[in-house]
Amino acid sequence: MDSTKVSNERLQQVLPDAIAALHRVIEKHRVTEKEWSAVLDFLTDVGRHDEFVLLSDVTKTSVLADAISHEGETDATPSDVEGPLYRENPPWREKPVKIYEEYEGIENGDVLFVHGRVTSADGTPVSDAVLDIWQTGPDGGYDVWDERQPDYNFRGKFGVDEDGSYEFQTMVPKPYTVPTDGPVGRLLEATGQHPWRPAHIHFKVEAEGHEPLVTQVFFPEDPYLDNDTIGAVKPALVRPLSKHENEEELTRRGLGAPFYTCEFDITLKPAMSAAQA
Ligand code: BEZ
Ligand code: FE
């Protein structure tokens, strides 16, 4: 976030309390000059490595801000944190939507079709919704870490049908660790916090007259569901996977191995101005 996006009035309200809270901690723990200097060195390193979002995530501060920002939103799909791995301008994917290209090593993964409908809070289809998806591959993590993957693999943007329905082909993601090779990784190690996240798919959904939604979908029986290092799992976002092994279905999909499907319907919140009009 850009500090110019926070009003001076808000800064004047919040900052004195933040500083007072910090001073209380320093007093309570009798933090020395040397220790405070080490904290400043650490934060400088976090900035140099562009890891402030990651730091906010692993300290579960992002989850707290997300909860406060969306308090009481019961008529819409729950939001979730964006994390640091979103990339602007992903490729536009035409129908039938497939968000990845094959690469060496991918054969060990399982194909997954995610489908659902995008509707407004009153149940009407949102036919101009645009979905923007990003996730890891079945192993090796995100495109930006995995040299075997083409750039922007497992990322893509696409529209929905007139009735709000969508489907995209991807692969079942696996749990992975957040980046551990920088200052935040050192902090996790030093404090004994594991770096694992449960498998998930990130969604950004935008449509005229609606609040943008940023969320994630998780899958049952993941070993890190109750223990996500950024604490972002919400029960309503855990969606079952169905396995399909029927020969006819495999032929219809042009696949040589069993595949999975996952249904994820999305409800968008009308934008403030639209709701008031
Ligand atoms: C992610 O899900 O992409 C992510 C979230 C927080 C920290 C690192 C990665
Ligand atoms: Fe992620």
Side-chain angles (χ1 to χ4, degrees), residues 151-218:
D151 207 19
Y152 285 95
N153 220 33
F154 292 106
R155 298 176 187 269
K157 239 175 160 167
F158 50 89
V160 301
D161 289 341
E162 203 52 38
D163 65 352
S165 60
Y166 73 89
E167 179 178 86
F168 66 94
Q169 178 177 342
T170 182
M171 301 205 81
V172 179
K174 298 275 174 8
Y176 66 87
T177 67
V178 300
T180 54
D181 55 353
V184 172
R186 291 202 307 274
L187 180 76
L188 293 178
E189 170 106 43
T191 55
Q193 180 176 336
H194 76 71
W196 287 89
R197 294 219 59 211
H200 58 274
I201 301 177
H202 297 267
F203 285 66
K204 248 186 212 212
V205 189
E206 292 186 335
E208 197 67 39
H210 292 84
E211 297 292 343
L213 171 72
V214 177
T215 193
Q216 303 181 31
V217 168
F218 304 89

